[in-house]
């Protein structure tokens, strides 16, 4: 018994909370079985308190915020450490995307804007600017930004058209009905190529049939909030607890429909992560990440 | 991703500490930070949750001086071990040159060690790297707890379960006390530099 308590205590100090709770529950069971200990109410209470405390800590960890605001210095470091490409433009883009992936949207926004100003991969930069606005929950800012680009010279008509259909689609998916200003001017001749500058299509939403968990058998359609290559992130409302439980990390998703602004394609994926949001307007909701399998051919529908 | 700058003759390589949550990866880096004061070329950066779990990564830059006319710089990273931070782990592992796998000797973490090693294998495969080919060292951490009569996995068992197929160098250690930390890192550096030497053909 003494050694069980000792183990439980050690696991607790090491942050192995589940393991610690299990041991304390064993201790409690032992006491309940054994007449000799039962009179020791004080000890029983101490153990019960410990278990309650552990449960509270476990719940807190579940709620932990995913993206603290980091200092400028650390943001610089992330930007530098997570750009790998030999190509300078691609490397700068990777650094900015890394900032967004680590939840540093404000800073990422500034980076994407500066890339756009420099004319570096303008289409990707512009779409990522819009994504950051949307991730920061400012739909209006995204639309304003588009208006500004329309009257400026940074982007070509062809690019603006592409961005317009991207934004229109994303907004429609969010249930926002706004008439975006048209792009007027010379029309693009070539049909749009499949696959954007980043090598992966922009995915606006996904539709899939769940094969396990409480929502097994049902079909769900969800909006994509952020994308980096073949990893997409979606925000799911905290009220949809059943849905979250159907998306445990590691679950394979087969035959998912991916809707992009230019086409719909089908691919498989895997739930790679889920975390809860603690601050900001979407506090309490969850972010799910899905990694789409890379395959040489896209199954375009 | 080892960055080899021919002109300045500088090699920069990346070593990642991988392993199950709470296994002692961050503690390894903290010890190195103290013990390798002379070689440390910048601050250690840790991005944690409130409960001291790694949220994004830890980072520590080292400078090893010159080897065969080349200046060697090393970046040490740890990944977040918690299962749910899977995509962050992939991101931190990107461009890795060598891996230290920190296994937890606690009996209650037996399954987690195996799952994490499998996760490492998968994530390396996504980068088109093989766990059998990459410079890799295993560390069986928290051996100091044997004295406290906490149930530990025997080194023999860990060796069989984790290293049976890999057959890479392994070290019992206590990151908290600092035993075995230096040996683990040195072996991993040795393997990594030998590997790079073959790949980049820099020596000579
Ligand atoms: N007794 C003992 N405790 C250790 C040892 N190494 C680490 N710990 C303890 O184990 C706990 C977790 O250590 P960390 O270094 O934070 O573990 P980690 O692998 O970085 O964990 P994550 O960041 O969650 O992946 C801490 O309470 C450490 O003090 C060791 O060698 N012996
Ligand atoms: Mg850590």
């Amino acid at each position: 018994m003494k050694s069980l308590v000792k183990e439980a205590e050690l696991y607790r100090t090491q942050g192995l909370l589940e393991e610690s709770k299990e041991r304390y529950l064993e201790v409690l069971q032992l006491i309940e079985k054994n007449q000799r200990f039962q009179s020791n109410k004080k000890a029983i209470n101490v153990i019960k308190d410990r278990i309650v405390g552990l449960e509270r800590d476990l719940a807190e960890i579940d709620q932990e915020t995913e993206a603290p605001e980091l200092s400028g210095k650390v943001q610089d470091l992330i930007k530098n450490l997570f750009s790998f490409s030999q190509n300078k433009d691609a490397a700068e883009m990777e650094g900015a995307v890394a900032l967004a992936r680590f939840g540093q949207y404000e800073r990422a926004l500034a980076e994407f804007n500066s890339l756009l100003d420099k004319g570096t991969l303008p289409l990707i930069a512009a779409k990522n600017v819009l994504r950051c606005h949307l991730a920061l929950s400012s739909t209006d800012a995204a639309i304003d930004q588009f208006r500004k680009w329309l009257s400026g010279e940074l982007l070509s008509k062809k690019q603006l058209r592409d961005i317009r259909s991207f934004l229109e689609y994303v907004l429609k998916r969010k249930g926002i009905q706004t008439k975006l200003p048209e792009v007027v001017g010379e029309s693009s001749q070539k049909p749009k190529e499949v696959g954007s500058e980043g090598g992966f299509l922009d995915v606006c939403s996904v539709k899939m049939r769940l094969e396990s968990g409480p929502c097994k058998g049902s079909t769900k359609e969800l909006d994509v909030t952020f994308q980096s290559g073949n990893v997409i992130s979606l925000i799911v409302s905290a009220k949809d607890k059943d849905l979250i439980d159907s998306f445990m990390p590691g679950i394979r998703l087969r035959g998912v429909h991916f809707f992009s602004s230019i086409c719909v394609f089908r691919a498989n994926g895997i739930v790679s992560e889920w975390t809860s949001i603690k601050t900001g307007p979407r506090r309490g909701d969850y972010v799910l990440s899905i990694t789409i399998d890379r395959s040489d051919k896209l199954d375009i529908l | 991703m080892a960055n080899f700058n021919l002109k300045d003759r500088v090699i920069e390589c990346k070593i990642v500490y991988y392993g199950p949550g709470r296994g002692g990866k961050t503690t390894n880096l903290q010890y190195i930070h103290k013990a390798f004061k002379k070689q440390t070329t910048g601050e250690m950066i840790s991005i944690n949750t409130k409960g001291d779990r790694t949220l994004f990564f830890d980072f520590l830059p080292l400078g090893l001086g010159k080897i065969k006319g080349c200046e060697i710089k090393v970046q040490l990273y740890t990944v977040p071990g918690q299962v749910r931070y899977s995509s962050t782990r992939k991101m931190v592992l990107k461009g890795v040159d060598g891996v230290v796998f920190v296994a937890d000797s606690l009996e209650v973490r037996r399954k987690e060690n195996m799952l994490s090693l499998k996760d490492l294998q998968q994530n390396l495969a996504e980068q088109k790297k093989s766990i059998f080919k990459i410079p890799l060292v295993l560390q069986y951490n928290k051996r100091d707890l044997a004295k406290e009569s906490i149930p530990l996995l025997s080194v023999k068992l860990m060796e069989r379960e984790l290293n049976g197929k890999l057959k890479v160098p392994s070290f019992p250690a206590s990151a908290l006390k600092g035993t075995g930390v230096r040996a683990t890192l040195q072996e991993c550096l040795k393997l990594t530099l030998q590997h790079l030497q073959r790949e980049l053909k820099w020596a000579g």
Side-chain angles (χ1 to χ4, degrees):
Chain A
M1 170 113 136
K2 224 179 177 171
S3 71
L4 269 183
V5 174
K6 193 172 165 193
E7 264 186 69
E9 249 334 84
L10 178 93
Y11 299 156
R12 193 176 64 84
T13 57
Q14 300 223 336
L16 296 164
L17 306 182
E18 292 280 2
E19 286 83 352
S20 175
K21 186 179 144 192
E22 250 171 58
R23 285 293 180 276
Y24 275 123
L25 286 172
E26 268 177 60
V27 173
L28 212 55
Q29 260 178 0
L30 265 183
I31 292 179
E32 272 159 13
K33 274 202 215 122
N34 199 324
Q35 291 289 332
R36 193 154 56 88
F37 296 129
Q38 270 175 20
S39 53
N40 196 344
K41 286 274 181 298
K42 211 171 124 201
I44 295 178
N45 283 336
V46 168
I47 289 163
K48 282 188 173 158
D49 279 352
R50 275 281 190 259
I51 295 174
V52 170
L54 283 164
E55 278 168 349
R56 196 184 45 227
D57 290 349
L58 278 165
E60 217 167 78
I61 287 175
D62 251 9
Q63 291 296 315
E64 231 147 40
T65 162
E66 164 66 349
E69 191 61 30
L70 302 173
S71 72
K73 224 172 80 192
V74 176
Q75 289 178 340
D76 286 344
L77 187 77
I78 287 180
K79 194 181 122 186
N80 291 328
L81 293 179
F82 292 91
S83 48
F84 299 99
S85 293
Q86 296 292 321
N87 177 299
K88 192 172 144 282
D89 290 353
E92 284 184 36
M93 185 60 73
E94 281 169 355
V97 168
L99 285 166
R101 285 290 308 284
F102 284 126
Q104 310 300 299
Y105 296 118
E106 304 268 7
R107 173 67 189 275
L109 186 60
E111 295 289 330
F112 288 127
N113 268 320
S114 103
L115 286 171
L116 186 59
D117 286 341
K118 284 193 287 184
T120 306
L121 303 172
L123 197 55
I124 306 183
K127 284 181 189 172
N128 279 324
V129 164
L130 297 181
R131 284 205 183 94
C132 285
H133 281 309
L134 296 170
L136 289 163
S137 276
S138 40
T139 317
D140 291 345
I143 298 172
D144 279 353
Q145 181 60 262
F146 178 68
R147 286 217 173 85
K148 275 192 205 125
W149 287 334
L150 264 187
S151 56
E153 310 248 286
L154 271 175
L155 294 153
S156 74
K157 299 286 183 220
K158 180 167 180 282
Q159 288 167 336
L160 284 169
R161 271 195 195 88
D162 192 334
I163 290 163
R164 183 181 185 279
S165 63
F166 167 76
L167 183 59
E168 189 174 45
Y169 190 85
V170 177
L171 292 176
K172 200 163 96 201
R173 295 281 321 145
K174 284 176 166 287
I176 299 166
Q177 297 287 349
T178 10
K179 189 89 188 83
L180 289 174
E182 292 290 341
V183 182
V184 285
E186 95 261 22
S187 66
S188 58
Q189 269 109 34
K190 271 191 272 170
K192 261 174 224 141
E193 289 157 42
V194 169
S196 60
E197 287 167 79
F200 215 88
L201 284 172
D202 300 302
V203 179
C204 303
S205 66
V206 292
K207 193 170 98 182
M208 70 200 99
R209 217 179 118 84
L210 295 169
E211 287 168 16
S212 58
C215 295
K216 188 175 169 176
S218 63
T219 300
K220 294 279 171 193
E221 203 168 331
L222 300 164
D223 287 339
V224 172
T225 15
F226 209 82
Q227 179 179 8
S228 147
N230 64 330
V231 181
I232 56 172
S233 309
L234 337 159
I235 294 185
V236 177
S237 157
K239 289 182 212 113
D240 258 335
K241 198 76 175 116
D242 275 358
L243 194 58
I244 308 278
D245 292 340
S246 308
F247 273 114
M248 295 314 282
I251 285 185
R252 297 264 337 148
L253 304 167
R254 269 184 288 272
V256 184
H257 285 50
F258 294 91
F259 298 88
S260 83
S261 52
I262 43 179
C263 72
V264 181
F265 64 97
R266 187 168 43 200
N268 298 333
I270 188 164
V271 178
S272 44
E273 190 165 331
W274 73 262
T275 35
S276 66
I277 308 172
K278 209 174 176 188
T279 51
R282 281 169 169 156
R283 174 193 188 128
D285 291 344
Y286 293 86
V287 180
L288 288 170
S289 296
I290 296 176
T291 305
I292 310 170
D293 289 358
R294 283 189 190 277
S295 66
D296 298 333
K297 257 207 238 126
L298 284 179
D299 186 7
I300 294 181
L301 305 176
Chain B
M1 80 124 191
N3 198 343
F4 183 29
N5 186 329
L6 250 180
K7 200 172 109 265
D8 305 331
R9 296 194 73 74
V10 177
I11 289 191
E12 202 160 53
C13 64
K14 173 168 180 174
I15 290 184
V16 175
Y17 281 69
Y18 210 94
R22 315 274 75 208
K25 301 176 289 298
T26 300
T27 311
N28 261 276
L29 245 64
Q30 283 165 343
Y31 182 81
I32 294 166
H33 185 43
K34 273 192 305 209
F36 287 68
K37 263 262 142 49
K38 262 202 200 138
Q39 284 86 356
T40 311
T41 53
E43 292 170 63
M44 173 163 166
I45 305 240
S46 294
I47 307 173
N48 294 336
T49 66
K50 266 191 268 108
D52 262 358
R53 291 165 162 76
T54 300
L55 177 62
F56 292 161
F57 57 85
D58 302 299
F59 171 76
L60 178 66
L62 299 179
L64 301 187
K66 282 199 171 161
I67 301 183
K68 297 189 178 165
C70 252
E71 168 113 34
I72 311 288
K73 291 185 178 174
V74 181
Q75 299 180 334
L76 301 182
Y77 288 81
T78 75
V79 298
Q82 288 187 76
V83 173
R84 61 180 175 153
Y85 294 135
S86 156
S87 54
T88 307
R89 242 187 332 274
K90 284 183 195 179
M91 189 143 170
V92 175
L93 195 64
K94 219 170 150 187
V96 62
D97 297 303
V99 180
V100 173
F101 184 86
V102 180
D104 194 328
S105 298
L106 287 172
E107 210 174 270
V108 286
R109 302 298 278 171
R110 183 175 173 183
K111 202 175 94 209
E112 282 74 12
N113 288 330
M114 292 194 267
L115 289 176
S116 176
L117 195 61
K118 218 171 143 201
D119 179 61
L120 170 65
Q121 177 169 16
Q122 273 171 8
N123 288 337
L124 285 171
E126 277 185 25
Q127 293 182 36
K128 306 238 180 322
K129 288 188 172 118
S130 158
I131 195 169
F132 294 101
K133 291 199 184 126
I134 195 158
L136 171 68
V137 171
L138 301 188
Q139 181 185 76
Y140 306 138
N141 191 30
K142 305 192 188 173
R143 296 317 302 185
D144 59 289
L145 291 173
K147 277 206 283 305
E148 314 277 323
S149 59
I150 300 288
L152 291 192
L153 299 159
S154 72
V155 170
K156 210 171 135 204
L157 179 73
M158 296 182 86
E159 194 57 20
R160 196 171 67 227
E161 275 185 351
L162 303 170
N163 205 11
K165 284 196 199 127
L166 291 170
K167 300 197 173 29
V168 295
S170 62
F171 299 86
S174 165
L176 199 64
K177 304 259 180 330
T179 36
V181 173
R182 194 181 273 270
T184 309
L185 175 63
Q186 277 168 347
E187 182 66 22
C188 188
L189 281 171
K190 190 183 98 193
L191 293 180
T192 306
L193 291 172
Q194 282 173 349
H195 185 87
L196 290 177
Q197 206 163 14
R198 276 196 303 274
E199 283 210 334
L200 304 171
K201 303 194 175 50
W202 103 72

